């Protein structure tokens, strides 16, 4: 299989993985946030040299998985819509993980682990700050309200942290296997 074919296969696998996780875990509050999307964005920043293209892989994976969930929702096969108001903020926040990947470059296990912790943490802090800021009814516009918002989102953070730390090495090994025919946990 040629290199382009392998990269297309790799992209398809990531899209299917993101969609499957959203379908399997999305409507279960205990598993909410368990997704490879942040790991895909982090990986993209670490490996794709063309900065503009490094944004495409995570956005493509997220958009296609959201579109699949939307289709299932419209067919009454899933409990919530794939597209909703304010969703553009999640797309922008996802790109912060790509930027973190640029900075980390994933040349050692330490940078992979640091990126795997930093990206979901930044996503958690900023996304929940935006939730708190936008919802005066649910969370009071005070420091206490902000802390309550963060506390309520801790299960989501736990799941996104665990899934990023789990999926990032899997994605790296899969990439190396498909592109270099080696099973390795290296990006450099």
């Amino acid at each position: 299989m040629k290199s382009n074919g392998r990269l297309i296969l790799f992209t398809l696998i990531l899209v299917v993985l993101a969609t499957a996780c959203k379908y399997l875990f999305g409507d279960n509050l205990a598993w909410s946030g368990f997704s490879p999307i942040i790991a895909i964005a982090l990986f993209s920043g670490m490996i794709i040299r063309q900065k503009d293209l490094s944004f495409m892989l995570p956005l493509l994976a997220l958009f296609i998985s959201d579109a699949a969930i939307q289709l299932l929702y419209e067919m009454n096969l899933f409990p919530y819509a794939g597209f909703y108001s304010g969703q553009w903020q999640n797309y922008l926040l996802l790109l912060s993980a790509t930027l973190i990947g640029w900075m980390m470059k994933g040349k050692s296990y330490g940078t992979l682990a640091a990126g795997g912790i930093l990206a979901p943490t930044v996503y958690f802090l900023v996304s929940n700050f935006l939730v708190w800021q936008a919802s005066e009814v649910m969370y009071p516009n005070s420091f206490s309200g902000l802390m309550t918002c963060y506390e309520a989102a801790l299960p989501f953070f736990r799941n996104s942290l665990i899934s990023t730390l789990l999926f990032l090495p899997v994605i790296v090994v899969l990439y190396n296997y498909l592109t270099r025919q080696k099973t390795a946990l290296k990006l450099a």
Side-chain angles (χ1 to χ4, degrees), residues 18-36:
T19 305
C21 284
K22 194 172 281 192
Y23 179 76
L24 294 172
F25 305 125
D27 69 336
N28 183 339
L29 191 58
W31 285 93
S32 185
F34 191 84
S35 168

Side-chain angles (χ1 to χ4, degrees), residues 47 60 127 172:
I47 195 71
L60 182 68
S127 66
V172 170

Side-chain angles (χ1 to χ4, degrees), residues 59 62 84 86-95 123 127:
L59 290 176
L62 184 57
Y84 50 88
Q87 186 172 20
W88 61 272
Q89 293 173 332
N90 288 332
Y91 282 72
L92 285 178
L93 286 173
L94 179 64
L95 299 180
Y123 188 93
S127 66

Side-chain angles (χ1 to χ4, degrees), residues 12 19 23 43 79 95 100 111 113 128 139 157 161-162 174 178:
L12 288 174
T19 305
Y23 179 76
F43 170 83
L95 299 180
I100 291 168
T111 56
N128 287 290
Y139 302 107
F157 175 58
L161 184 63
I162 290 169
L174 177 65
L178 288 175

Side-chain angles (χ1 to χ4, degrees), residues 26-94:
D27 69 336
N28 183 339
L29 191 58
W31 285 93
S32 185
F34 191 84
S35 168
I37 290 293
I38 294 175
I40 292 169
L42 191 58
F43 170 83
S44 294
M46 289 178 171
I47 195 71
I48 299 174
R49 289 192 166 105
Q50 293 173 278
K51 294 192 186 226
D52 55 340
L53 292 179
S54 66
F55 290 115
M56 295 306 294
L57 181 60
L59 290 176
L60 182 68
L62 184 57
F63 180 79
I64 292 173
S65 66
D66 285 342
I69 293 299
Q70 182 68 32
L71 181 64
L72 292 171
Y73 173 75
E74 289 176 8
M75 296 169 47
N76 293 319
L77 297 173
F78 201 71
Y80 64 82
F83 297 114
Y84 50 88
S85 72
Q87 186 172 20
W88 61 272
Q89 293 173 332
N90 288 332
Y91 282 72
L92 285 178
L93 286 173
L94 179 64

